[in-house]
Amino acid sequence: MDNATSLLVQYARYHRDPRNIATHYVGIPLIVFAIGVLLARAQLTVAAMTISLDVVAYLLAALWYLRQGQRTITLATLAAIGVLLALAHPLGAAPLATWLSVGVGSFVVGWVFQFVGHYWEGRKPAFVDDLRGLLVGPMFVVAEVWFTLGGGKALHDHIAQQAGLVMRQARRTPQGT
């Protein structure tokens, strides 16, 4: 088993309530976008070349993701993060009030979604026990989208076998029927 599969199984153990997974579809992209916005304003100049910290963070994250395995999910995760950072990057040059309100606002709203989901789950977020969970989150969302679209059946089945099935809400039926 590659490291990405192991990390996805570990992360999935904290995410078995469908409402929690649904909040991650919103919360994690908002957080990634917010980090991109906030880091885009900081610039480094090395050897007469200027580069913003959002690009540096993306390259460092890409190196980490590419070492984990599961190429399809890894490349899709890097593409998704790349799109979010491309949308965020121009805001680094926005007026201070716009930059801060969009960056901090997206970050806070993203975390509100995360914590509401984990309240429903009844479990703390995965990163509390393993900081790698902050990087696995985007990969988990991409994997869940892929599974929903019908891809990665073997990986999905393996994760469900190791982490347990996603809970289904009990169907309520009228009394006496």
Side-chain angles (χ1 to χ4, degrees), residues 17-130:
D17 186 306
R19 298 168 299 175
N20 188 20
I21 294 169
T23 64
H24 282 55
Y25 286 146
V26 177
I28 287 178
L30 274 174
I31 293 165
V32 170
F33 173 79
I35 291 169
V37 169
L38 295 169
L39 291 179
R41 198 167 189 98
Q43 306 283 315
L44 296 172
T45 302
V46 178
M49 186 172 92
T50 302
I51 187 168
S52 61
L53 285 185
D54 61 326
V55 173
V56 172
Y58 177 79
L59 293 173
L60 291 172
L63 289 173
W64 184 83
Y65 282 113
L66 291 169
R67 296 185 60 198
Q68 303 314 307
Q70 284 297 335
R71 289 287 185 232
T72 301
I73 292 172
T74 295
L75 295 175
T77 300
L78 289 173
I81 292 171
V83 167
L84 290 168
L85 293 182
L87 293 170
H89 188 81
L91 290 161
L96 182 65
T98 302
W99 169 71
L100 272 177
S101 61
V102 172
V104 173
S106 297
F107 192 79
V108 169
V109 170
W111 279 109
V112 166
F113 270 90
Q114 295 300 95
F115 287 117
V116 166
H118 281 283
Y119 172 79
W120 287 331
E121 181 86 35
R123 293 206 60 182
K124 60 189 170 189
F127 78 86
V128 173
D129 291 330
D130 185 349

